[in-house]
Amino acid sequence: MTKGFNPPLIEVRNPRSGAVDYRFMPTDLDTLAQIAADARAAQPAWLARGVDGRAAVLARWVTKIEAAAPDLVAAVTADTGRHAESLREVGNVEKWVTRWSQIARSALASELSPTGNPDVMSVADYSPYPLVGVISPWNFPLSLSLMDAIPALLAGCAVIIKPSEVTPRFIEPLMATIAAVPELASVLHYVRGAGELGAALVEQVDMVCFTGSTTTGRKVAVRAAERFIPCFTELGGKDPAIVLQGADLDRATTAIVTGATLATGQQCYSIERIYVHRSLHDEFVELLAKKAQSLKLALPEPQDGRIGPLTFAPQAEIIERHFSDAAAKGAVIHTGGRIETHGGGMWCAPTVLSKVDHSMAVMTEESFGPLMPVMAFDDTAEAVRLANDSPYGLSGAVFGPEEDALAVARQLDLGGISINDAGLAPFFIGDATAAEKTAFKASGLGGSRLGAESIKRFVRRKALLVNRSTQPSAWWFDV
Ligand code: NDP
C-alpha cells in the first residue's frame, strides 16, 4: 500500500431502497501504477494488430458482453434504479464497437496523395497516445465509461477507466467479459475508487477523457495542462428548448417532455429550460403539464413506469432548493414540484413551472432532475439572448418551421442542436454520418464524439512529405 493512501471499503447506496447493499475495496495507488505500467507494456502489440485486428478483438468481446447481458443489466439497474435505460446502456457497446470500427478503418487510413507541389507527395501517419485515462460519472455508468474507451482502443491506445464510486456494480461483471478476451484484457482496465483515484489516474496517463461536472472537469483540465497532456472534457449542461411561432405544439410538447424526463432528467443533455413564443405559451404549458402528469414513477418495479428514482441522493437537495427558490420568487408549479420518498428511495415527479425568469436558480443552474420551467418570449432575438444567457453550452432544441428553426439554431452557443426533436445528438455518437460537435463555454473542451473525425482525438498526427524529384529543391542553398 502506498504511504498516505489507505482507502477504506466504499459503501454503495441502492437508489430504490436507500440501503447500503454493496461494498467494494478501492484500487490502491501501487496497483494503479502497476496497471499503468502493464498497459503501457502491452500497447505496442495492440497497435501492431492494425485497425482490423483490433476491431476483430473488440467484436469478440461484444459476444462476451451479449452473453453477460442479464448480469450487466441487473447491475446497472441496481445502481441507477432504472430498467429501460440499463438495457440501452448494455446495447450501446455493440453499436459503438460496430460504428467506431468503421470510422477507424477510414479515418486512420494512410495513403500517399499529391500536394500543391507536383514533386511532393504527402501521407498521413497516426501515432496513438499510448495510455488514455477515462474518468466517468454516475448517471449512465456503463455507457459513459466506454464512450471514449472504445474509440481510443480502436485508435491503438491502451485505456484505464475510473468510473464513479456512486454506481460501480457493473464493473465486476464487465471485467469478467474483458478477462475472457486476453488480448483485450492487457490493454483495457477498470480501476475502482473515489475522486482521489481519478486524480491519481491523471498522473499516470498520456491523455485524459473526463465526463462529469464542470467543477471537477476544471480541476482535471488544470492538472492535465500542468502535465502538458491533452484533456477532452464533456461537462454539465443547462440545455434550452425554444418553441417558435408555427411550431407543432403536440410534437414539441411530446419531444420536450421526453427530452427533459428521460432517465429522470439525470442527463447532461436533458432539456432544462424552455422558451415559448408568448402567443403559444398558455396552450403549450397546459399540454406539457398534461403529458408530464401521464408519466408514472417506476414503482413498485423498475419496469413499471418511465420515471426512476434519483440515483444520487444529494441531488434531491439541489432540486428542492430550485423548487423553493422558484416558488419564493413567484413561479407557478403546474404539476410535480416536490421530492417524494418511497421505500427509502428519493423520487421527483415530472415538474412543469411557469412564470420563471433568470433570477431563479431553476433557469440558470443544472437541476439534473425532471424539471421543465417555461418562460415566454416576444421575438426570436429575445429567445436567442435568453438561451445564450448561460455559463453552459452543451446542446439544445428548436421547434418551428425548419428554415426559421435552423436560422435560430445558427445563433445559439451550443454544440448539438436538435431541430423539431430533443436530445438527438447522443443517438449519433460514433456515427460517421452525423456532423461533428464540440461543447461551448463551461460544458467542455476538446474534439467531437460525433462524426468521422471523432477517433482522431486519440492520435497524434504526422505529415510524411515525400519529395520524388531528382532535381535540387527550389529552397535549397546553392552549395
Ligand atoms: P463529478 O464531476 O462529481 O464526477 C465525475 C467523475 O470524476 C467521477 O468518477 C468522480 O469520482 C471523479 N472525480 C471526482 N473528483 C475528482 C478529481 N479531483 N480528479 C479526478 N476525478 C475526480 O460528476 P458526477 O459523477 O456527479 O456526474 C454528474 C455530472 O456529469 C453532471 O454535471 C452532468 O451534467 C455531467 N455529465 C456530462 C455529460 C456529458 O457528456 N457532457 C454526460 C453525463 C454527465 P467519484 O464519483 O467516485 O467521486
Side-chain angles (χ1 to χ4, degrees):
M1 189 78 64
T2 299
K3 205 171 159 230
F5 187 75
N6 187 4
L9 203 66
I10 292 182
E11 298 191 326
V12 182
R13 172 186 171 275
N14 184 310
R16 298 183 74 88
S17 67
V20 170
D21 59 358
Y22 185 84
R23 292 168 182 81
F24 69 92
M25 184 57 80
T27 308
D28 65 69
L29 291 192
D30 287 344
T31 305
L32 172 65
Q34 189 59 54
I35 289 172
D38 292 348
R40 273 186 196 286
Q43 185 267 340
W46 177 247
L47 178 62
R49 287 178 183 277
V51 172
D52 285 334
R54 296 193 290 273
V57 171
L58 289 174
R60 222 151 17 89
W61 177 47
V62 166
T63 65
K64 309 291 179 197
I65 291 208
E66 284 164 352
D71 291 345
L72 290 166
V73 171
V76 179
T77 302
D79 265 340
T80 62
R82 312 184 297 241
H83 182 67
E85 291 87 350
S86 305
L87 284 172
R88 185 135 35 92
E89 285 205 57
V90 175
N92 278 341
V93 181
E94 192 265 336
K95 186 169 75 181
W96 291 343
V97 166
T98 306
R99 284 178 173 181
W100 261 307
S101 294
Q102 285 167 0
I103 290 181
R105 285 187 186 99
S106 57
L108 302 180
S110 177
E111 280 169 18
L112 274 174
S113 57
T115 67
N117 181 327
D119 292 334
V120 178
M121 301 289 285
S122 168
V123 60
D125 192 59
Y126 302 107
S127 172
Y129 291 100
L131 183 57
V132 171
V134 172
I135 302 171
S136 55
W138 51 261
N139 56 332
F140 285 89
L142 190 150
S143 287
L144 288 170
S145 77
L146 289 172
M147 191 178 280
D148 296 313
I150 290 171
L153 286 163
L154 282 160
C157 315
V159 179
I160 302 177
I161 304 169
K162 204 300 279 180
S164 171
E165 66 176 310
V166 178
T167 47
R169 283 173 234 232
F170 77 93
I171 301 173
E172 220 171 305
L174 194 70
M175 279 169 67
T177 67
I178 296 167
V181 185
E183 307 93 309
L184 183 63
S186 61
V187 287
L188 175 59
H189 301 269
Y190 276 83
V191 291
R192 299 193 287 184
E196 65 265 28
L197 187 68
L201 179 60
V202 178
E203 303 300 320
Q204 295 284 347
V205 295
D206 306 305
M207 174 187 179
V208 61
C209 294
F210 177 88
T211 310
S213 66
T214 299
T215 306
T216 312
R218 201 183 296 271
K219 287 184 204 162
V220 169
V222 165
R223 186 58 195 136
E226 284 168 351
R227 290 204 56 231
F228 216 55
I229 60 170
C231 178
F232 171 86
T233 53
E234 275 220 354
L235 310 171
K238 187 74 186 170
D239 285 5
I242 296 177
V243 182
L244 301 172
Q245 268 182 313
D248 175 340
L249 284 197
D250 188 36
R251 181 178 178 86
T253 46
T254 300
I256 288 172
V257 85
T258 308
T261 67
L262 195 86
T264 319
Q266 300 168 121
Q267 307 183 86
C268 53
Y269 47 82
S270 284
I271 297 293
E272 290 225 354
R273 53 201 173 107
I274 304 155
Y275 304 99
V276 182
H277 192 271
R278 197 173 298 281
S279 64
L280 307 173
H281 176 271
D282 293 356
E283 192 186 345
F284 178 91
V285 169
E286 194 183 324
L287 204 50
L288 188 69
K290 198 169 129 216
K291 291 180 181 179
Q293 276 162 1
S294 74
L295 297 174
K296 301 290 174 228
L297 301 186
L299 288 166
E301 298 300 327
Q303 294 88 334
D304 289 340
R306 299 273 184 202
I307 309 298
L310 300 178
T311 302
F312 186 47
Q315 202 64 36
E317 288 165 33
I318 295 173
I319 293 172
E320 271 180 329
R321 180 168 58 76
H322 288 187
F323 286 151
S324 56
D325 172 67
K329 291 173 179 164
V332 174
I333 295 177
H334 296 261
T335 184
R338 64 192 182 86
I339 300 294
E340 302 172 28
T341 310
H342 299 283
M346 319 270 261
W347 300 73
C348 180
T351 296
V352 175
L353 306 97
S354 67
K355 300 212 181 319
V356 293
D357 61 42
H358 282 210
S359 73
M360 301 175 188
V362 74
M363 293 299 279
T364 56
E365 294 176 13
E366 192 176 35
S367 304
F368 231 49
L371 277 56
M372 291 162 279
V374 185
M375 184 172 173
F377 67 82
D378 291 303
D379 57 51
T380 50
E382 186 188 7
V384 168
R385 183 181 60 73
L386 289 166
N388 284 340
D389 178 25
S390 170
Y392 296 108
L394 193 62
S395 42
V398 185
F399 294 82
E402 191 173 305
E403 282 305 306
D404 299 350
L406 283 168
V408 167
R410 289 192 169 96
Q411 299 172 66
L412 299 177
D413 298 333
L414 304 169
I417 305 175
S418 306
I419 307 293
N420 290 319
D421 205 334
L424 275 179
F427 293 100
F428 287 86
I429 284 171
D431 187 329
T433 61
E436 293 178 42
K437 79 168 187 73
T438 54
F440 283 52
K441 300 190 267 188
S443 287
L445 280 176
S448 175
R449 281 172 168 164
L450 268 61
E453 293 282 307
S454 54
I455 214 141
K456 288 195 177 164
R457 288 178 289 155
F458 300 101
V459 294
R460 294 158 296 183
R461 303 165 200 203
K462 300 183 194 174
L464 310 185
L465 298 163
V466 184
N467 191 335
R468 288 182 165 172
S469 171
T470 55
Q471 301 303 310
S473 283
W475 53 87
W476 289 0
F477 293 136
D478 186 15
V479 287

